[in-house]
Amino acid sequence: MEQTTTILEVRNLKKYFIADTDFFGRPTAYLKAVDGVSFSIEKGKTLGLVGESGCGKSTTGRTIIQLYEPTAGEIFFNGKTLSKLSEEKKLRRQMQMIFQDPYASLNPRMTVSDIIGDPLDIHKLTSLGERKDRIINLLQMVGLNSEHMSRFPHEFSGGQQQRIGIARALAVEPSFIICDEPISALDVSIQGQVINLLERLQEELGLTYLFIAHDLAMVKHISDIVAVMYLGKIVEMTNSLDLYSKPQHPYTQALLSAIPIPDPLAQKQKRIHLTGDVPSPIHPPTGCNFSTRCPHAFSRCSEQEPAFADIGAGHMAACHLLHR
Ligand code: SF4
């Protein structure tokens, strides 16, 4: 039997931002960007976190890596709580992030050599004699070479800039990487190359990924587990095969129906058009968050929040229709 080790566990994570204050500066309204999210990721696996813009998926990633302080909930990394992360510098090094806009995430005044060498220096990972060889090694791991060392970020294409960002993340030898929409800003022709690179590195280095994307098509091939977010909450989560072949939550069904299939004759499922806009996370609907747009909503949906629970064989979903 295959042994599994949980690298990351997130329990009931919440991140609220103050949206309004009264005359005395006291908060009167909160934007509930992440509102009770729970999941875990096994070593060497990828969890794809998907949802429309503003659903809280990137805030979830940034809260896990402690760019934001959680409002509530617990984060365990290798079994240790991250609440006192500042005291756990070594743990922090093991978690890295790759960003959506590779150019914006690279210092335009630094050469590639300095960009990748910086984390090596900060964490004192190489001696002066080893530094150059390690930078070349990292560049080769991401499909670049020593000739690129003295160049600046603007001299590279978007795909190459993302490769530099990946090399910088790998410099500190992380075990877990949050990939925050790493292919969304790239040409479609380049997206597959970056996915292939991330998959190869995962295989070679045993990396674990949280892969964030706004489109189910983007996470299909890389994810072992897929979680779908809507308005700060996960509404469905299961293994990749089940999610794409047997989606159960009405929101997931609508997202999947919007993915174009290359052969129009093969498009068996009718596109589900959702009406209305995503409600404000400052004033979410009562009951089910999706009730204002769900084609199957009934009276109970706006009165009672559905539990996020197992509907069979570990397939999790939050919908009254699935828990009767
Ligand atoms: Fe739709 Fe109701 Fe299910 Fe929410 S609980 S997804 S509104 S049917």
Side-chain angles (χ1 to χ4, degrees), residues 249-251 288-292 294-298 301 306 318-321:
H249 194 281
Y251 179 58
C288 174
N289 267 357
F290 192 47
S291 59
T292 52
C294 179
H296 307 292
F298 56 107
C301 301
C319 174
H320 291 311
L321 289 173

Side-chain angles (χ1 to χ4, degrees), residues 132-167:
K132 187 177 172 192
D133 286 346
R134 177 66 178 145
I135 292 169
I136 293 171
N137 170 251
L138 285 160
L139 284 170
Q140 287 169 342
M141 281 165 83
V142 299
L144 299 172
N145 59 56
S146 57
E147 288 173 20
H148 296 118
M149 284 177 70
S150 56
R151 299 197 200 161
F152 290 89
H154 72 268
E155 297 177 61
F156 294 89
S157 67
Q160 288 174 319
Q161 287 165 358
Q162 195 55 287
R163 286 172 191 267
I164 296 165
I166 295 169

Side-chain angles (χ1 to χ4, degrees), residues 3 14 43 48 57 70-71 78 91 95 97 102 106 125 135 141 147 158 174 182 186 194 244 253 268 279 307:
Q3 283 274 323
K14 296 183 182 179
K43 182 175 175 9
K57 55 193 188 304
T71 304
N78 278 327
L91 270 186
M95 299 174 103
M97 196 152 182
L106 303 174
L125 295 176
I135 292 169
M141 281 165 83
E147 288 173 20
L186 303 178
V194 173
Y244 289 92
Q253 290 169 348
K268 288 194 200 110

